[in-house]
Amino acid sequence: MIPRGAASLNGVMIARSFPARFGHVVSYANGSLRANGIDLAVGSGARVAAASWVCAPAIVTGFDAASIHLLPLDGTPAVTIGARVFADDGVNEVAVGAGLLGRIIDASGAPIDGLGQIGGLRSSVANRPANPMDKAPINTALATGVRAIDGLFTLGVGQRMAIVAGSGVGKSTLLAQIMRGVSADVIVVALVGERAREIADFSERHVSPETRSGTVIVAAAADAPAILRLRAVERANAIAEHFRDAGKSVLLIVDSLTRLAHAQRQIGLAMGEPPTVKGYPPSALAIIPVLIERAGGDRRTGGSITALYTILADGDDLDDPVVDTARSITDGHIVLSRTLAEAGVFPAIDIARSLSRTMSDVVSLEHQAAAQCVRRDWSLAAENRDLVLMGAYRAGTDVDLDHALANRLPILDFLKQGSHETVAAADAFEMLCGLSE
């Protein structure tokens, strides 16, 4: 006699079978779940059976003698006491590949641009330990189309550069300029903690049709859970690493590193970490070098990730812990000046406080000398500005200062560039040489 329902199992193939292990939720507090009955390593993926019959994804963030701690990726899932918890390695996998080009996705990988589903290969979102000897040297200049950067702070392929700015000084406009003029095969942008309106505005107004087809945007709005804001940057890094492994030249933009640190601060404090300087727990600052070191060139594949990390200087304070940590690990920094922005100079790059540590490796000696001359004139004029305004300096007293004062307005004209204007690197060099004569 054939059991009832047995016919419905005909044709079902079971590739492998193994006993499934389940735990159960015992508590929920401060955004973190605790579960007993299952042992999972820190960083592992898991799913929690919510009351709505939807299995909510979660990440294991710690454990104690009796339970594991999980952070739900969906914020506050509708779970109840005793809800089942089981392992799921797929939580830590991300879609990568050419199917992502021209698309906008959220931190979970779901498309938010209304253009349908995305298929592709799968890769781990986690950081892959890199051999320092596999890092390619930075010896090739990368043109950005921004005259001040290409002339005074020339980037190299594989360089990691911090862009430090207060609010409202033209940071997003500068990023858009670089995206339009950069010489890269693929652009990956992580928008972290931005207002939802700004995400739509950036993708529609700042990303030109010419660059959209080669751009991937990963967005996590300000109201997203802290773990998703962190996951957005990890996903963007994993996508960029896939293209680098394929031999592509990638520009990675993370906007902003400060909001990433804020997300990790929220997670760390919820997990019981002690607050240190300005309320940041140790993990909030330790995560910055871990993420930055994922960028760079690869000797094996010939691909590269040139990374730009924006940093919000709270109150224009350049001694902020996030600013200080990022400057110590990146290959240079560009500081945007509120004074210049208020004077209508865009991009408002502060020449005296900006620096590219790899410029000497990618430009000629003539280019280096011209840039140093312009930087010296700018600094000299700034240092003596008060004397000149008070009338305490008489022209002809110092030849170098006279030259610097005469050169101040031409240098300002060199800095100014229309938001939709792209300048060739050769033209920027020619103008720079003219200023240094």
Side-chain angles (χ1 to χ4, degrees), residues 361-408:
D361 299 323
V362 299
V363 301
S364 64
L365 293 176
E366 183 184 2
H367 191 153
Q368 291 181 55
Q372 289 171 359
C373 180
V374 171
R375 288 168 60 90
R376 183 179 65 249
D377 282 351
W378 180 265
S379 297
L380 191 59
E383 290 171 1
N384 293 274
R385 184 171 183 271
D386 291 340
L387 287 176
V388 175
L389 291 177
M390 291 187 300
Y393 175 75
R394 186 173 59 186
T397 304
D398 188 320
V399 176
D400 291 336
L401 181 54
D402 289 341
H403 183 272
L405 293 174
N407 222 13
R408 178 175 172 80

Side-chain angles (χ1 to χ4, degrees), residues 70-133:
L70 305 110
L71 274 180
L73 294 180
D74 293 341
T76 307
V79 299
T80 58
I81 193 76
R84 279 190 167 187
V85 178
F86 56 93
D88 185 0
D89 293 335
V91 171
N92 281 329
E93 291 184 342
V94 300
V96 296
L100 289 169
L101 296 177
R103 303 300 302 271
I104 307 172
I105 60 176
D106 63 14
S108 299
I112 57 176
D113 52 9
L115 300 179
Q117 293 301 311
I118 300 173
L121 307 173
R122 309 295 296 182
S123 180
S124 173
V125 74
N127 181 30
R128 297 173 295 175
N131 184 344
M133 300 308 296

Side-chain angles (χ1 to χ4, degrees), residues 340-356:
L340 289 176
E342 291 172 348
V345 178
F346 292 99
I349 297 175
D350 190 324
I351 297 176
R353 294 193 290 179
S354 301
L355 174 70
S356 174

